[in-house]
């Protein structure tokens, strides 16, 4: 008995709740380490890309001498860059217009060797303006349709299998490749969309006479223009805006609606006064980020709106709003694609490539910062 009593404290000294380092614990630790390394690797790759763009693109936009900004790069449209050598052995590099003037001013100089580099001279004013116009049209259409659709789905629609299918379809549309949206925009807006005209085009799908007038509703499309590009971008971003706005509306407690209705407010008054003001910050942030994403798409605008070269800005030599919206424009994504993939590469094309990407990166970052600022600004005003 004495021996057994002496052994009991020894057996109970071990902690029965202590964790045992087995195979499952080791695998869990290894998985956590791998996930952490994968995250660091992704951040490292993204950081390398950003640093590379900044190092190679910033010198194109900024200068070390006053005014410290390359105003020509931001105020001129892309042109052909000419590099040549004269008979006296001097190397020259200038835009095509300056090159033509140079030959007129110095006819006695013989040009020994010359090379042209398309879209590598001038600046990016045309693509910047075109991107701003396409994004503006997209914002007007997408925000109106997206917010109203989200309000209907969350506040007015009844629950059922049909509405579940509609929501599933909206979510599936968010994953459709951008090139598919480009082909959709080409087929619908460029080739089939209706226009009111007195002389229908022979390629029109069909025409409908407008009574008591000499005009027809002709389904002949809008052609390749900024209006078609803006509508295509709006259709592309709609699923994201609808889903984000609906989630913001769902986050508002039902008590807000019930209290408003109990006080005698109508359904719309309840939505306008007790729901939308509190959901607005989240809706605005998601919408801005969604539109920023589509502003960088190449395929949709390549099929519906963009040109690689355009001599004049969109508002030059046009008559009326219809003429303004019915013309093609340059755009930053398509311009970057052109100078990076469609022309021969050389040391003279790289400044335009990296300068364009650097400016576009700044624009996207400003949009992201704007969305964060607006969210913080409106959330500080509304507390609940």
């Amino acid at each position: 008995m004495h021996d057994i009593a002496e052994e009991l404290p020894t057996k109970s000294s071990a902690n029965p709740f202590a964790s045992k380092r087995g195979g499952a614990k080791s695998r869990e630790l290894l998985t956590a380490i791998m996930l952490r390394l994968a995250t660091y690797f992704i951040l490292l790759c993204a950081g390398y890309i950003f640093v590379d763009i900044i190092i190679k693109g910033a010198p194109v936009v900024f200068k070390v001498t006053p005014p410290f900004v390359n105003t020509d790069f931001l105020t001129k449209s892309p042109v052909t860059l000419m590099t040549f050598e004269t008979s006296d052995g001097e190397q020259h590099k200038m835009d095509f217009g300056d090159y033509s003037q140079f030959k007129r001013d110095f006819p006695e100089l013989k040009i020994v060797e010359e090379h042209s580099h398309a879209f590598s001279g001038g600046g990016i004013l045309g693509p910047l303006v075109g991107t701003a116009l396409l994004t503006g049209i997209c914002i007007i259409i997408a925000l109106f349709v997206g917010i109203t659709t989200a309000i209907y789905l969350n506040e007015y629609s009844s629950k059922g299998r049909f509405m579940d299918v509609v929501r599933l379809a909206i979510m599936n549309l968010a994953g459709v490749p951008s090139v598919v949206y480009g082909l959709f925009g080409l087929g619908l807006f460029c080739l089939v969309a209706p226009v009111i005209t007195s002389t229908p085009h022979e390629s029109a799908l069909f025409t409908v006479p407008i009574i008591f007038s000499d005009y027809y509703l002709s389904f002949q499309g809008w052609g390749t223009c900024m209006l078609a590009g803006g509508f295509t971008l709006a259709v592309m971003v709609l699923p994201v805006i609808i889903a984000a706005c609906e989630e913001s509306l769902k986050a508002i407690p039902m008590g807000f609606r019930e209290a408003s209705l109990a006080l005698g407010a109508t359904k719309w008054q309840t939505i306008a006064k007790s729901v939308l003001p509190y959901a607005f910050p989240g809706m605005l942030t998601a919408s801005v980020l969604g539109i920023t994403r589509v502003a960088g798409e190449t395929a949709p605008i390549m099929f519906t709106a963009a040109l690689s070269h355009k001599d004049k800005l969109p508002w030059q030599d046009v008559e009326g709003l219809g003429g303004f919206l019915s013309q093609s424009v340059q755009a930053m994504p398509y311009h970057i694609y052109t100078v990076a993939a469609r022309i021969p590469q050389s040391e003279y094309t790289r400044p335009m490539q990296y300068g364009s990407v650097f400016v576009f990166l700044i624009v996207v970052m400003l949009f992201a910062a704007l969305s964060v600022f607006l969210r913080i600004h409106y959330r500080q005003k509304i507390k609940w």
Side-chain angles (χ1 to χ4, degrees), residues 306-320:
L307 292 175
S308 57
H309 177 70
K310 188 176 177 69
D311 293 329
K312 298 179 180 179
L313 295 174
W315 53 79
Q316 294 177 336
D317 297 337
V318 295
E319 296 182 359

Side-chain angles (χ1 to χ4, degrees), residues 2 11 50 166 168 192 202-203 207 279 281 283 309:
H2 179 70
K11 293 182 179 180
F50 291 148
V166 171
L168 179 61
V192 178
E202 59 182 8
S203 63
T207 59
M283 297 166 68
H309 177 70

